[in-house]
């Protein structure tokens, strides 16, 4: 959430590895909705920040991943770095706190967030539907 911690890891050459998975604070976004609040302040600015370039420019290791098949090699490369490394995977969030936990109270609060004006309702509903199908397949 704050790149200052990564700068500290660079200054002290700490073997910290960070993976940024999407263009939002995904878990916080879903937590807000499950508590009944529409999302607020959880999406990163557009165009997306080039976090890999930020890491490299400040003396760390940075890598940007744009496809699923790059994930394994990129992760192996980042983990082999002796110092701090930051990997950035560009994708949309797929897993949701609500679909994983499935608690009735949380589902009610999630619905309240929709009624209170949650943006991107169709996209979120589609993600929940896809998650449920995947859950039923397994």
């Amino acid at each position: 959430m704050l790149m200052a911690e990564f700068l500290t890891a660079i200054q002290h050459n700490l073997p910290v590895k960070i993976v940024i998975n999407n263009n939002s604070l995904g878990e916080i976004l879903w937590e807000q909705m499950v508590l009944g609040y529409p999302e607020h302040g959880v999406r990163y600015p557009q165009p997306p920040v080039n976090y890999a370039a930020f890491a490299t420019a400040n003396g760390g290791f940075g890598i940007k991943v744009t496809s699923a098949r790059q994930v394994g090699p990129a992760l192996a490369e980042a983990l082999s770095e002796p110092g701090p490394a930051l990997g950035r995977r560009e994708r949309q969030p797929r897993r949701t706190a609500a679909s994983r936990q499935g608690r009735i109270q949380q589902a009610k609060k999630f619905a309240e967030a929709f009624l209170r004006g949650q943006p991107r309702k169709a996209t979120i509903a589609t993600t929940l539907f896809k998650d449920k199908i995947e859950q039923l397949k397994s």
Side-chain angles (χ1 to χ4, degrees):
M1 289 174 29
L2 299 173
M3 293 310 295
E5 286 91 348
F6 192 72
L7 292 174
T8 300
I10 291 170
Q11 289 173 344
H12 297 283
N13 198 31
L14 302 174
V16 173
K17 312 304 181 206
I18 297 173
V19 176
I20 299 174
N21 238 357
N22 53 44
N23 285 326
S24 68
L25 302 173
E27 288 298 316
I28 296 172
L29 181 152
W30 293 105
E31 287 172 9
Q32 286 177 351
M33 288 188 294
V34 218
L35 293 172
Y37 303 106
E39 70 177 66
H40 176 74
V42 292
R43 300 222 182 236
Y44 297 143
Q46 294 296 323
V49 173
N50 189 339
Y51 291 102
F54 173 88
T56 303
N58 286 286
F61 173 80
I63 192 163
K64 183 177 176 181
V65 175
T66 55
S67 72
R69 65 180 169 268
Q70 293 175 322
V71 172
L75 189 57
E77 190 175 355
L79 291 173
S80 71
E81 286 293 314
L86 185 146
R88 166 75 161 86
R89 168 78 198 277
E90 292 186 4
R91 70 175 187 87
Q92 292 297 316
R94 280 279 302 125
R95 299 293 294 173
T96 64
S99 66
R100 280 195 310 262
Q101 297 173 4
R103 296 184 179 155
I104 292 173
Q105 186 62 25
Q106 288 178 335
K108 287 180 185 177
K109 294 292 186 180
F110 189 81
E112 284 178 27
F114 268 56
L115 293 173
R116 290 180 179 166
Q118 172 61 36
R120 301 173 187 88
K121 292 176 189 173
T123 303
I124 293 166
T126 301
T127 299
L128 291 170
F129 182 71
K130 287 178 182 177
D131 279 356
K132 193 57 171 176
I133 288 174
E134 288 300 316
Q135 187 180 42
L136 293 172
K137 284 182 183 178
S138 54

